[in-house]
Amino acid sequence: MGLLLNHRTYSTNAESVDSPIVWREQVSEHQDWFPVPESATKDTHCSAADYNRLYTASISDPDSFWAEQAKRIDWFTAPTKVGNWSYDPVSIKWYEDGVLNLCHNAVDRHVAAGKGDAIAFIFEPDEPSKPSRKVSYAALQAEVIRMANTLKKMGVAKGDRVTIYMPMVVEGAVAMLACARIGAIHSVVFGGFSPEALAGRIEDCASRFVICADSGLRGGKHVPLKANVDAALERVSGVEGVLVIEHTGDPCNMTPHRDHWYHEYGADVPSECPCEPMNAEDPLFILYTSGSTGKPKGVLHTIGGYSVWTATTFHYVFDYKPGEVFFCSADIGWVTGHSYVVYGPLQNGATSLIFEGIPSYPDNGRFWDIVDRHQVNIFYTAPTALRALMRDGDAPVKARSRKSLRLLGTVGEPINPEAWRWYHATVGEGKLPIVDTWWQTETGGTMITTLPGAHGMKPGSAGRPFFGIRPQLVDAEGQVIADEGDTRGDVSGNLCITHSWPGQARTVYGDHERFEQTYFSTYKGKYFTGDGCRRDGDGYWWITGRVDDVINVSGHRMGTAEVESALVLHDKVAEAAVVGFPHEIKGQGIYCYVTLNAGEEPGAELESELRMQVRQEIGPIASPDHIHFTPALPKTRSGKIMRRILRKIAENDFGALGDTSTLADPSVVDSLIEGRKNR
Ligand code: 6R9
């Protein structure tokens, strides 16, 4: 088993956490303690005393606690049952006899309550000179109804899978809500994925419908979404309808009978469409995510538990107050966009900002321009973006007022204390709370975080478990090292969660066995997160990064096996091994070791062909940082590639290679080191 453990220290000794993140070793985090800022205690939904009381209640009587939280949302039939789950065998249900509709809770009920004029979405286009747009809850309702009826006209019915391949525009969220409204299951595919990757995701869930835009805009560049859909549909059959939303006006090829322009096809649909009553355990969405083996998995979330979880976490984690503007910079193609651009904010009647572009366009002050222009109160982004902006110094930040900001947040990867401090001191003027929210596609919403009015902060630590969450650290053999409530000093291990929570994924679409195998078989009876973690004596949890063969590049999860599969598709490649290495901006970069077939010569041309190959198979986000041609890979006598050694070499850490005596040919290591030094 490749699950290794990092005991009590961040050292990178041979058997420590895979892909360790070097900057963690250089900082002694213990000295830093930032108490709850005065401003965060004002009207907070959760003080320190509230947290202790609510957390204890959520653990001692989860059913009562989650029955109470379920009252945040409307139910057509209130559930009489709360949690009903087992991790061995794996069966997870919450609120199983409840009937509801998430679109109703996100949109209609606010309109019904007389809040139709409140702003649901603010759209900020890629091009700052173009007008932004405000969409009220009433206008959103009308839009969602139109899209829902258009989908029905196309033949979409309850339970059908609909693939959404959109830029960051309001219509992307409308498409999701329209699916939820009619009981279709959405599968959003990030617009940066290639046609090949899109085809795989369409095929896996046998999706018969696709919603896309003509093209998207990112930093002034056009992303040919419809053309990518066309290319994908040459590789996969079964798609009957493609709904194309006009966004940039770029010309598109339209296949008769299959492809429909939304503004034409949806022009004359009825203006009423009741929300379909759905069982709490009916599927809501599938979202593909990378694991350590095989193709990306279609993680499946169901309606009831996910609704309650995102509504509750949004309320507490961001301490949201009516009228505030919330800006989460994640794309709806990732789970963060699902939970905290769309469903969490809307269920709370919040104003959520949708930003089409990128943080560096037209310059590195774009985020802060948006904050000022739309008076953003809560800003939530990824550490990789902060590291990139930080490089440009304080001036672009200081040139903007940022007075409206009240709370900052991060998500997606561990934040290095240096970036945290910059965020705190420069962006937040040393006054604002930061929530460092640890969670995953599989967890549906935030799991470990400080709560702004309750907890002091330690740069680099996610903080404390959210209500109902029971983290546990175990060693490689599954022995328990630490539970919540344990007050020993620093302990490290592999992070598991011992009890289910409403927002937990229910299965891998079409492959429950893979779900069990991936998450519940390493440590029987526990959900294994794939992350390494340390817990300090104050009860703060510090995520140290993945301990499996998943790497985190700019906050995007990627399986090293996926990149390897793409590389070996090239007919000159014999074998490939891919590892992560510490990268100043991206957190981790992609380092590929490649061996060629006999008679083939490495060279710059082949290198760019391989880069292209990976971009084609997966997308630009998977572009290798290094391609290291080598005559051989370090293997054990039984033929297993020793990734531990490859990781060390990629990290330029040649002194701690550990035991190489089991290698079939130890001289391979010297030649790899030589090759690394020459790069
Ligand atoms: C929400 C999201 C999940 C993986 C997760 C972990 C890393 C996310 C983090 C964090 C440290 C944080 N991760 N948030 N690590 N601190 N605050 O990102 O989901 O794309 O599925 O990635 O991201 O390694 O296991 P997802």
Side-chain angles (χ1 to χ4, degrees):
M1 186 185 335
L3 303 169
L4 306 169
L5 183 59
N6 187 5
H7 275 290
R8 286 173 186 272
T9 147
Y10 286 117
S11 85
T12 54
N13 62 50
E15 298 299 339
S16 72
V17 169
D18 292 20
S19 315
I21 293 171
V22 165
W23 35 255
R24 286 202 170 265
E25 298 168 54
Q26 299 163 344
V27 180
S28 70
E29 306 92 331
H30 303 272
Q31 295 151 8
D32 282 335
W33 169 257
F34 292 78
V36 178
E38 180 74 35
S39 62
T41 58
K42 213 174 118 241
D43 305 326
T44 181
H45 296 320
C46 189
S47 66
D50 294 335
Y51 173 81
N52 292 337
R53 179 175 49 81
L54 288 169
Y55 184 77
T56 306
S58 73
I59 296 306
S60 57
D61 186 357
D63 274 9
S64 301
F65 183 86
W66 290 113
E68 195 56 34
Q69 296 303 322
K71 295 179 185 159
R72 289 179 183 284
I73 58 173
D74 283 358
W75 297 80
F76 301 149
T77 307
T80 64
K81 297 185 179 155
V82 189
N84 178 11
W85 58 271
S86 149
Y87 282 173
D88 182 20
V90 181
S91 161
I92 303 164
K93 291 180 183 155
W94 285 85
Y95 310 114
E96 61 192 288
D97 59 352
V99 177
L100 77 169
N101 186 293
L102 177 46
C103 184
H104 166 83
N105 282 309
V107 183
D108 296 62
R109 74 170 164 142
H110 304 306
V111 179
K115 296 181 197 147
D117 290 340
I119 302 303
F121 287 125
I122 298 175
F123 173 66
E124 168 75 14
D126 184 56
E127 204 54 64
S129 58
K130 293 251 175 77
S132 53
R133 181 181 156 207
K134 288 189 171 147
V135 183
S136 69
Y137 274 90
L140 180 63
Q141 184 184 39
E143 264 308 300
V144 171
I145 288 173
R146 185 156 85 95
M147 177 84 76
N149 279 331
T150 309
L151 292 177
K152 281 186 176 172
K153 182 174 167 184
M154 241 170 39
V156 180
K158 181 173 173 173
D160 282 341
R161 277 78 57 214
V162 176
T163 300
I164 299 175
Y165 187 61
M166 289 286 290
M168 273 300 283
V169 294
V170 173
E171 289 78 4
V174 169
M176 294 163 71
L177 292 160
C179 288
R181 189 173 193 90
I182 63 175
I185 306 166
H186 60 69
S187 162
V188 184
V189 177
F190 174 55
F193 278 122
S194 68
E196 196 64 46
L198 173 63
R201 286 156 172 78
I202 289 172
E203 189 169 35
D204 182 81
C205 66
S207 174
R208 291 185 297 133
F209 306 95
V210 177
I211 305 175
C212 68
D214 44 8
S215 52
L217 284 171
R218 281 173 67 80
K221 295 202 186 94
H222 289 233
V223 184
L225 296 167
K226 173 62 168 66
N228 286 352
V229 169
D230 292 341
L233 296 188
E234 278 171 23
R235 296 168 171 82
V236 42
S237 58
V239 170
E240 293 162 21
V242 179
L243 191 64
V244 188
I245 288 146
E246 187 175 41
H247 174 53
T248 58
D250 287 344
C252 297
N253 289 323
M254 300 294 281
T255 301
H257 310 298
R258 188 196 71 183
D259 301 350
H260 312 281
W261 283 109
Y262 178 47
H263 59 276
E264 292 168 7
Y265 195 70
D268 58 355
V269 295
S271 55
E272 301 216 329
C273 175
C275 290
E276 189 72 28
M278 302 295 290
N279 180 268
E281 282 301 332
D282 281 336
L284 175 67
F285 68 82
I286 298 165
L287 187 55
Y288 287 86
T289 192
S290 297
S292 43
T293 55
K295 289 190 299 180
K297 296 178 285 281
V299 169
L300 184 111
H301 283 280
T302 57
I303 301 166
Y306 177 84
S307 296
V308 174
W309 186 243
T310 49
T312 309
T313 51
F314 181 83
H315 172 83
Y316 282 112
V317 175
F318 301 108
D319 214 1
Y320 185 82
K321 319 279 170 21
E324 288 188 320
V325 177
F326 177 81
F327 174 17
C328 164
S329 73
D331 193 282
I332 56 160
W334 310 112
V335 73
T336 306
H338 282 58
S339 301
Y340 300 116
V341 173
V342 184
Y343 293 125
L346 294 193
Q347 286 190 97
N348 281 275
T351 299
S352 176
L353 193 143
I354 294 181
F355 173 41
E356 183 180 18
I358 55 174
S360 55
Y361 181 81
D363 61 46
N364 277 339
R366 187 67 192 272
F367 275 163
W368 326 123
D369 274 341
I370 296 174
V371 165
D372 283 355
R373 179 171 310 155
H374 300 293
Q375 293 295 293
V376 171
N377 305 105
I378 305 167
F379 177 62
Y380 189 37
T381 195
T384 186
L386 297 173
R387 285 193 296 267
L389 298 179
M390 195 172 117
R391 273 222 305 207
D392 213 16
D394 294 0
V397 186
K398 296 289 178 197
R400 280 84 177 177
S401 137
R402 292 158 289 114
K403 271 226 161 58
S404 56
L405 286 175
R406 175 179 71 72
L407 172 67
L408 305 172
T410 71
V411 59
E413 52 177 322
I415 184 163
N416 46 316
E418 195 194 349
W420 193 98
R421 278 194 210 94
W422 182 79
Y423 200 25
H424 186 258
T426 304
V427 178
E429 302 285 341
K431 289 188 267 198
L432 304 184
I434 297 180
V435 290
D436 172 358
T437 63
W438 172 83
W439 58 291
Q440 310 177 296
T441 305
E442 297 85 344
T443 72
T446 298
M447 300 286 280
I448 299 180
T449 180
T450 51
L451 294 183
H455 303 125
M457 301 162 286
K458 301 188 187 197
S461 166
R464 307 291 304 270
F466 191 73
F467 306 133
I469 299 308
R470 303 181 67 169
Q472 187 179 72
L473 298 179
V474 299
D475 68 14
E477 279 70 49
Q479 294 299 317
V480 176
I481 297 171
D483 270 312
E484 175 63 22
D486 183 338
T487 51
R488 278 174 303 157
D490 283 358
V491 282
S492 301
N494 292 330
L495 179 62
C496 293
I497 311 291
T498 56
H499 291 64
S500 185
W501 63 99
Q504 182 166 30
R506 303 302 195 247
T507 192
V508 167
Y509 186 78
D511 198 348
H512 194 65
E513 201 184 314
R514 191 169 175 207
F515 185 64
E516 291 215 30
Q517 192 60 35
T518 309
Y519 304 106
F520 303 91
S521 70
T522 314
Y523 305 114
K524 240 191 167 13
K526 293 167 194 179
Y527 169 72
F528 176 45
T529 63
D531 279 316
C533 183
R534 179 167 70 91
R535 187 182 178 286
D536 71 20
D538 299 327
Y540 276 57
W541 299 77
W542 304 69
I543 311 296
T544 49
R546 302 289 302 200
V547 292
D548 52 13
D549 286 321
V550 171
I551 52 180
N552 194 325
V553 183
S554 301
H556 302 322
R557 254 167 86 166
M558 213 166 294
T560 51
E562 283 172 70
V563 184
E564 289 163 6
S565 311
L567 289 166
V568 297
L569 281 178
H570 194 287
D571 56 12
K572 291 186 180 162
V573 172
E575 204 170 17
V578 173
V579 296
F581 71 100
H583 187 287
E584 205 192 331
I585 305 289
K586 301 193 226 176
Q588 282 187 296
I590 303 177
Y591 197 106
C592 311
Y593 297 91
V594 172
T595 64
L596 299 176
N597 289 324
E600 302 296 351
E601 285 299 320
E605 198 176 324
L606 181 56
E607 193 171 325
S608 66
E609 274 176 37
L610 291 179
R611 266 207 182 91
M612 197 45 85
Q613 176 94 32
V614 175
R615 292 171 75 97
Q616 244 166 41
E617 289 301 313
I618 305 173
I621 52 170
S623 275
D625 293 277
H626 290 285
I627 294 182
H628 181 153
F629 294 108
T630 168
L633 292 168
K635 292 189 181 173
T636 60
R637 285 184 200 99
S638 61
K640 236 177 152 263
I641 297 174
M642 290 189 77
R643 290 168 174 281
R644 167 172 60 81
I645 292 175
L646 293 176
R647 263 180 228 121
K648 294 287 170 201
I649 294 173
E651 282 159 21
N652 266 318
D653 181 4
F654 310 130
L657 294 181
D659 185 9
T660 55
S661 63
T662 55
L663 285 175
D665 175 8
S667 73
V668 169
V669 173
D670 296 331
S671 98
L672 283 170
I673 291 177
E674 223 27 60
R676 179 67 175 117
K677 282 182 180 161
N678 293 335
R679 298 193 74 79

